[in-house]
Amino acid sequence: MRIAMVSEHASPLAVLGGVDAGGQNVYVARLSEELASRGHDVTVYTRRDSTDLPDRVTMPGGTVVEHVPAGPPRPVPKDELFPYMPGFGAHLARAWQRERPDAVHAHFWMSGMAARIGAHPHGIPVVQTFHALGTVKRRHQGRRDTSPFERVGIERQLGRNCSRILATCTDEVYELADMGVSPQRVSVVPCGVDADHFHPGARDVRHVPPREQRHRILSCGRLVRRKGYDKAIRALTRIPDTELIVAGGPPPGLLETDPEAERLLKLAERAGVADRVRLIGAVDPAHMPAVMGSADLVLCTPVYEPFGIVPLEAMACGVPVVATDVGGHKDTVTDGVTGRRVPAGDAWAVAAAVRDLLADGELRRRMGETGRERVLARYTWHRVADGVEQVYRQVAVGRGLRTEVA
């Protein structure tokens, strides 16, 4: 098949760790790579954010990344890209007139808007993955939500008009239903993890911070407020003999200029745990499995999380997870089996769960082994691509699909 991926702000070529570079970039890159390896012709359309970028880049696996001129050729926060989507869509319409894809897969709501503009004149089916929903963001961030006012209405329209919605977790199906989008229009296929890269044997101590306490817990991801690192720091006040490593954000040399890093370090100081909290900044993806493997458990405490790849990475490394009971965590982390799920925002529940696991090394070992088995059975990129490929083929021939979990 000829497949067009539209990912307006999340390029598969981006360096991870920035405010707008995270799980969506990984999803687009790895799904494209897996589909290309199966012989599909895959092109990813993403916004040109630098004058130095070539028009087209071919990735090692054969995926082509095309940089679309839409807005200024410089980095722009994703919530400010909305005015440029009609131009993005017009570019797609011209490109697809020359070479029509069999299916278009739009990632994020603005990509869906551009994809619809580009696909409609040619009758091309559009599969929509939202990755995050505006209703959820608005509920949790309130006045801090910087999304354009039009977001929720456009997401509702996309949900009703696209050929198929590809949700990444079952919680999203319920959120879409509350927006008036029928579950019959939704297929659930989760995100995946590279289980060859993330594995229990990654123990290269050269790239791991030396341990300074009896136990180590690790939190990692983009350094943004909603990830809930403040809850991890507060929980640490009730977890003795334990250090908290926070991996993510800008490079280590720039941490002191990062507002969220500054906020977290001040919180650790006020809480009396500054000597047990270490922010290590961005970690080279090649070294992340070793960093995860150095921890007794991985802590994921966001107040909301559309999916959350970090628990899968930890489980692939054989490390148990303590995660808030939100979004994709409800699907990926089996409470009491591969880790623990706790109420979002409850630092004391986090502390209690962590203490229980740190007190039982044998339980942690069993949870780690079971987590690895669960990843291999359900969350490899090969398995994810199986589910996505099925959706593409069915929309390409105009058939519907019942809601299903791959």
Side-chain angles (χ1 to χ4, degrees):
M1 296 179 69
R2 181 175 291 122
I3 300 163
M5 299 272 189
V6 183
S7 182
E8 97 291 337
H9 76 273
S11 169
L13 303 174
V15 177
L16 301 183
V19 172
D20 289 335
Q24 184 177 327
N25 304 72
V26 174
Y27 182 98
V28 172
R30 294 311 310 271
L31 177 60
S32 298
E33 179 183 29
E34 179 64 33
L35 292 169
S37 74
R38 301 179 180 203
H40 297 295
D41 182 347
V42 183
T43 301
V44 179
Y45 296 86
T46 193
R47 198 185 74 86
R48 177 186 292 279
D49 61 5
S50 171
T51 56
D52 297 330
L53 292 172
D55 292 341
R56 295 166 69 87
V57 176
T58 301
M59 298 177 68
T63 296
V64 173
V65 178
E66 181 167 321
H67 294 112
V68 176
R74 57 175 171 78
V76 175
K78 70 173 183 285
D79 286 339
E80 298 176 16
L81 292 175
F82 177 64
Y84 309 121
M85 290 304 101
F88 197 122
H91 177 96
L92 296 177
R94 293 190 295 270
W96 295 341
Q97 184 175 27
R98 296 189 300 269
E99 191 171 54
R100 183 188 187 280
D102 298 302
V104 173
H105 189 170
H107 300 271
F108 202 58
W109 70 278
M110 282 186 283
S111 293
M113 176 183 172
R116 286 281 297 168
I117 293 170
H120 181 72
H122 312 299
I124 307 168
V126 176
V127 175
Q128 176 71 46
T129 295
F130 287 107
H131 292 280
L133 287 169
T135 52
V136 179
K137 186 177 181 182
R138 188 168 295 174
R139 182 189 314 143
H140 289 283
Q141 294 194 359
R143 293 182 179 180
R144 296 196 309 273
D145 180 10
T146 57
S147 299
F149 171 79
E150 296 88 347
R151 175 174 180 172
V152 172
I154 291 175
E155 286 181 338
R156 185 176 291 112
Q157 186 178 49
L158 289 170
R160 293 171 177 173
N161 295 335
C162 68
S163 300
R164 195 76 187 158
I165 299 169
L166 205 161
T168 56
C169 66
T170 51
D171 193 58
E172 187 178 343
V173 180
Y174 304 131
E175 292 287 349
L176 288 165
D178 287 343
M179 294 167 57
V181 178
S182 170
Q184 298 302 313
R185 298 184 50 76
V186 186
S187 296
V188 179
V189 182
C191 298
V193 65
D194 184 346
D196 292 328
H197 180 60
F198 289 93
H199 63 92
R203 295 289 188 271
D204 190 345
V205 297
R206 294 174 300 171
H207 306 294
V208 175
R211 182 178 292 205
E212 297 179 358
Q213 298 287 331
R214 180 183 175 194
H215 294 296
R216 169 177 290 178
I217 55 180
L218 172 72
S219 292
C220 51
R222 290 183 296 145
L223 208 59
V224 293
R225 186 180 289 258
R226 76 168 178 85
K227 292 296 185 178
Y229 300 119
D230 53 344
K231 305 302 185 297
I233 291 172
R234 290 191 175 95
L236 195 65
T237 64
R238 297 191 179 185
I239 309 171
D241 304 321
T242 302
E243 62 186 4
L244 169 66
I245 304 295
V246 179
L254 298 178
L255 274 174
E256 61 183 18
T257 66
D258 186 89
E260 181 65 3
E262 181 181 11
R263 184 180 79 91
L264 295 174
L265 290 173
K266 286 181 178 178
L267 173 62
E269 188 71 36
R270 292 195 302 270
V273 294
D275 60 326
R276 295 193 286 130
V277 175
R278 277 189 284 173
L279 275 61
I280 62 174
V283 174
D284 188 318
H287 306 152
M288 200 64 225
V291 174
M292 282 190 164
S294 75
D296 295 296
L297 57 87
V298 169
L299 193 55
C300 304
T301 53
V303 293
Y304 73 96
E305 186 65 84
F307 182 78
I309 288 179
V310 171
L312 293 185
E313 294 173 342
M315 289 159 59
C317 289
V319 181
V321 179
V322 173
T324 45
D325 191 26
V326 297
H329 295 174
K330 296 180 180 182
D331 290 351
T332 57
V333 181
T334 306
D335 190 41
V337 179
T338 65
R340 291 288 306 278
R341 292 203 312 269
V342 296
D346 190 340
W348 309 143
V350 171
V354 169
R355 286 198 308 270
D356 288 347
L357 292 185
L358 292 182
D360 193 335
E362 177 60 22
L363 176 60
R364 295 199 308 274
R365 185 192 64 79
R366 291 199 305 270
M367 284 183 166
E369 289 180 352
T370 305
R372 172 75 180 177
E373 293 169 359
R374 182 169 171 79
V375 163
L376 295 177
R378 298 173 63 91
Y379 296 108
T380 64
W381 284 111
H382 182 83
R383 179 67 188 273
V384 171
D386 284 344
V388 173
E389 191 177 43
Q390 180 185 11
V391 172
Y392 290 170
R393 293 191 184 282
Q394 296 206 12
V395 300
V397 297
R399 293 205 303 266
L401 252 181
R402 294 177 301 167
T403 302
E404 59 183 289
V405 178

